[in-house]
Amino acid sequence: MGSLSLFVPVAEFLRLSLFDQALARATHQAARAAAADPGLCEARIRGAFQPRPGETLIGWLLDTQDDGAVGVRRDDGWPTPGDAAGEVLVTVAADDDISDAVAWNDGCGGPGAWIRVRSRIVVQPWSGFARALFPDGFARERVSWARNQRTV
């Protein structure tokens, strides 16, 4: 019984670590894709969260409905287990000069602008014991930056 009480928290921690890695990688890929093709910013960001052949981790963890596609929704808030079950919430913002303290614009901005992609998910606990302790799940967030590559 003692080894089981150690196994459950360690397994849950490793599982959360896998979610963090998958979300960080997808967020980084989304920022790079948006920067490379800012004219199709939204489509490129959604595409970065989709599983690719040979990349089973993103699909296995983030495709909660097991339909081959990850649900991505643009939203600035935190997901809750009920309203955004299985969706990755993404916020995209851009600023031409991050040192001027002016509010960020929605979208990928103009040529040379800094693009910030923020993604958020709620990970539901795997074990019943962890679900009892954390009924709302574990909120995870990752942020990645890129520079808009548009020249004109």
Side-chain angles (χ1 to χ4, degrees):
M1 189 63 170
S3 62
L4 183 61
S5 63
L6 178 64
F7 173 75
V8 170
V10 169
E12 195 68 54
F13 176 76
L14 291 174
R15 186 172 162 270
L16 276 175
S17 177
L18 285 175
F19 270 96
D20 279 340
Q21 290 174 32
L23 190 62
R25 179 173 171 84
T27 304
H28 178 69
Q29 289 175 346
R32 289 185 58 201
D37 193 0
L40 296 172
C41 184
E42 183 100 17
R44 296 297 179 240
I45 289 171
R46 286 183 190 282
F49 284 93
Q50 302 311 313
R52 290 170 189 65
E55 278 188 2
T56 56
L57 188 61
I58 290 174
W60 178 55
L61 294 173
L62 301 180
D63 180 13
T64 57
Q65 280 129 18
D66 208 20
D67 60 359
V70 176
V72 178
R73 181 175 60 158
R74 276 197 72 173
D75 196 332
D76 207 14
W78 279 97
T80 60
D83 72 352
E87 288 187 318
V88 178
L89 301 188
V90 176
T91 305
V92 183
D95 192 357
D96 294 325
D97 182 6
I98 59 175
S99 65
D100 64 2
V102 175
W104 288 71
N105 299 322
D106 188 32
C108 287
W114 284 98
I115 302 168
R116 178 183 65 204
V117 176
R118 175 181 292 144
S119 61
R120 297 171 172 156
I121 59 170
V122 171
V123 178
Q124 294 303 318
W126 167 66
S127 68
F129 178 71
R131 273 193 295 269
L133 291 175
F134 304 98
D136 293 333
F138 303 103
R140 313 309 302 159
E141 176 184 54
R142 289 292 168 253
V143 177
S144 189
W145 297 69
R147 188 140 184 161
N148 189 324
Q149 300 298 308
R150 186 181 338 190
T151 57
V152 177

